[in-house]
Amino acid sequence: SAPGAPGAPAGAPAGADDDEMIPVELGGRTRLVSRRSVTHVEAQGDYVRLHTAEGSYLVRMPLAALARRWEDSGFIRIHRSTLVASQHITELRFDGGRVAVQIGEELLPVSRRHTRAVRDLLVRRFRHGESPDGAPFGRGETPRRDLDD
């Protein structure tokens, strides 16, 4: 629904109703964390740690289940223990055979097994004229043209 439409919270961006709120336990209280605010997820045993700009939150859920649940929302596996929100990737780095993605201040390693899928996704997004945050290029951004090399 559109901003201000019935069912949408006041001031909510268009499409906010397709977001998911994840309940996280914090000191006896339950906080709702927006899926859109999650930059990446790390597996920690039977739990996952959701990372956002505000902090990180532990949730009891296997990473594989979360990966299946969120794959249509742009989350991709970059490592057996790491899932990232592709719209938060700002850079793909190649260094001596190692590949990593930049998300905010963090540089996260991409396993060899997942390198091709990550690279293909970013190249496909570039070819469709989107920046890493999903917005069209052209708003003062210069797209990198060396992704095919």
Side-chain angles (χ1 to χ4, degrees):
S1 52
D17 54 345
D18 67 359
D19 197 3
E20 180 179 347
M21 301 305 283
I22 303 94
V24 296
E25 300 297 322
L26 288 173
R29 296 189 332 218
T30 301
R31 177 172 178 197
L32 295 175
V33 174
S34 162
R35 181 189 63 225
R36 287 185 185 175
S37 70
V38 176
T39 58
H40 64 286
V41 182
E42 289 179 298
Q44 294 187 334
D46 292 339
Y47 291 80
V48 290
R49 181 165 295 279
L50 307 176
H51 292 270
T52 69
E54 294 78 43
S56 68
Y57 310 94
L58 208 54
V59 176
R60 187 175 177 96
M61 174 182 280
L63 186 67
L66 193 61
R68 282 191 302 274
R69 185 168 165 174
W70 285 3
E71 70 184 336
D72 292 340
S73 301
F75 281 77
I76 58 169
R77 203 76 175 257
I78 63 165
H79 193 276
R80 68 182 163 81
S81 63
T82 313
L83 189 63
V84 299
S86 60
Q87 68 269 22
H88 289 284
I89 297 173
T90 56
E91 205 170 61
L92 184 61
R93 292 190 185 182
F94 297 89
D95 181 26
R98 291 204 169 114
V99 179
V101 292
Q102 184 81 41
I103 294 187
E105 299 297 312
E106 294 205 55
L107 193 60
L108 303 170
V110 177
S111 69
R112 281 192 298 272
R113 178 180 176 197
H114 293 95
T115 296
R116 177 176 287 279
V118 171
R119 186 177 162 278
D120 289 352
L121 173 90
L122 296 176
V123 168
R124 201 167 42 248
R125 177 172 290 154
F126 171 74
R127 288 206 174 115
H128 287 101
E130 295 177 11
S131 66
D133 65 3
F137 280 121
R139 297 198 190 119
E141 273 187 79
T142 305
R144 301 235 350 224
R145 298 206 179 269
D146 59 349
L147 288 174
D148 282 333
D149 296 339

